[in-house]
Amino acid sequence: MNDAYIYDAVRTPRGKGRKDGSLHEMTALRTAATVLEAIRDRNEIDTAEIEDVILGCVSPVGEQGGDIARSAVLYADYDESVPGVQINRFCASGLEAVNMAANQVRGGAGHAYVAGGVEMMSRVPMGSDGFSIAVDPYLAFKSYMVPQGISADIIATEYGFSRDDADALAVESQKRAAAAWEDGRFAKSIVPVKDQNGVEVLAHDEYMRPGTDMQALGALKPSFKDMGENMPGFDAVALLKYPHLEKINHIHHAGNSSGIVDGAAAVLIGDKEFGEKTGLKPRARVRATAKIGTDPTIMLTGPVPVTEKILRETGMGIGDIDLFEVNEAFAAVVMRFMQAFDVDHGKVNVNGGSIAMGHPLGATGAMILGALIDEMERSDKETGLATLCIGSGMGAATILERV
């Protein structure tokens, strides 16, 4: 089996996923092409060398539909021999795109790939493509389906996390993200977004609220309490699955949950031969990838079993990992991960996460992988793990080693 190396990783800044967000006027096609162009130009590669472009997109309809990856290949003026494929593993789509590319390289199916993702949530709202587990009564009843926010609150209730615990993690995420930007830790990977006239429209993550404190968060109402306790009464559904819980403690709100944003990311993956041919130096080696299915009701615990799986398959222990990127879909997801493995928060999301900067669904997995590589290099660490929880009950993970 060949080794798969990561040669570069880039991302756009995250724009607020609303009509007043800086990226709202940019199409998904243009945003995806921005990171493809950056991968090509930064590395001076002949795109005819690229076997395929794999992009994650969670709502692949409208302007994000019709195989956005192939469309972005053409828009970015890659060689027309380069195909493209769009994939959807919900919130882990961007990481799964990278994992698929890495495993293709490892298996000898081509020497180089570009993988990543795009999601323009201000233009194509989450859920626009439909969701059978929510709308098909048979499957919804069978799986005890509840919205993700209720699932996050189930985690908090099941594992004993308080509102203050969640808010403290959110405040820390904001502080870390602000400090990382001030220190220039994202400078290596950020690609400013420009319009068709070459005018820069965004060069900095704009969702962040660095002044956030416990008092401000304490004033926010729980986002999922009404839908849980009143109509349509999702708490009752959850308690059918978890009858040992007396009630659901609703602790999550907009301030300790991931933000709705726009953005794209891309990663250049290749084998040793590709690096030698192009003169590029690899930044990291993909040691292992993993995915797993989990309980669809609590839904968001996937980072724990998938990490157990990837460690088991590699013969590694949690102590062998220097740094972790655990997507901050909701505060309880990260807290459960740290609790399960007794991992110090000083090793997890050290430059902030999606609570502070936002979660552009199809792109986030590739974004956190790039952040992991940047931080491994900055802090001189050798091994890192990236993982995300996933809708409908799944988990995905990747272990990287610095080269």
Side-chain angles (χ1 to χ4, degrees), residues 12-240:
T12 67
R14 298 166 169 102
K16 290 184 292 186
R18 303 195 301 262
K19 290 183 179 179
D20 63 347
S22 295
L23 297 184
H24 176 63
E25 297 303 320
M26 303 295 293
T27 65
L29 178 57
R30 178 62 197 141
T31 310
T34 294
V35 290
L36 295 191
E37 292 164 353
I39 286 288
R40 176 195 62 209
D41 297 343
R42 283 163 49 120
N43 298 285
E44 299 180 344
I45 57 174
D46 176 0
T47 56
E49 301 287 340
I50 302 300
E51 184 75 18
D52 201 359
V53 170
I54 307 174
L55 293 182
C57 183
V58 176
S59 297
V61 294
E63 66 181 50
Q64 290 184 169
D67 191 353
I68 189 68
R70 174 59 176 171
S71 297
V73 162
L74 297 174
Y75 196 100
D77 291 324
Y78 272 37
D79 191 275
E80 67 178 16
S81 66
V82 181
V85 61
Q86 175 269 326
I87 66 164
N88 182 5
R89 201 188 288 280
F90 297 138
C91 296
S93 297
L95 186 67
E96 188 62 31
V98 174
N99 289 351
M100 288 176 65
N103 289 327
Q104 294 270 40
V105 170
R106 294 168 80 189
H111 297 289
Y113 287 72
V114 175
V118 62
E119 206 80 37
M120 301 300 287
M121 300 180 74
S122 72
R123 299 176 63 90
V124 184
M126 180 169 52
S128 296
D129 57 329
F131 194 26
S132 59
I133 196 171
V135 300
D136 186 306
Y138 178 80
L139 183 55
F141 294 156
K142 181 180 180 180
S143 62
Y144 299 92
M145 195 287 300
V146 298
Q148 283 194 357
I150 302 290
S151 299
D153 288 336
I154 298 172
I155 294 174
T157 307
E158 176 77 3
Y159 296 102
F161 305 131
S162 69
R163 167 76 178 257
D164 282 349
D165 293 333
D167 287 356
L169 185 141
V171 169
E172 183 63 19
S173 181
Q174 295 282 358
K175 289 180 177 178
R176 292 182 180 189
W181 268 103
E182 184 175 351
D183 195 38
R185 297 182 187 181
F186 299 131
K188 187 172 185 178
S189 299
I190 290 291
V191 178
V193 179
K194 300 178 181 180
D195 64 18
Q196 292 182 342
N197 298 316
V199 177
E200 186 175 285
V201 297
L202 187 64
H204 189 281
D205 289 327
E206 69 173 348
Y207 181 81
M208 297 187 302
R209 300 176 178 85
T212 298
D213 57 24
M214 292 293 287
Q215 290 71 29
L217 295 185
L220 299 176
K221 294 181 179 180
S223 296
F224 310 102
K225 183 179 176 68
D226 284 345
M227 71 171 65
E229 297 181 354
N230 303 314
M231 291 298 292
F234 284 111
D235 282 8
V237 177
L239 293 173
L240 289 173

Side-chain angles (χ1 to χ4, degrees), residues 131 133 139-140 142-148 151 154 241-242 293-301 390-394:
F131 194 26
I133 196 171
L139 183 55
K142 181 180 180 180
S143 62
Y144 299 92
M145 195 287 300
V146 298
Q148 283 194 357
S151 299
I154 298 172
K241 186 73 170 284
Y242 296 93
T294 63
D295 176 358
T297 305
I298 201 167
M299 194 183 307
L300 307 173
T301 55
I390 308 173
S392 300
M394 294 182 281

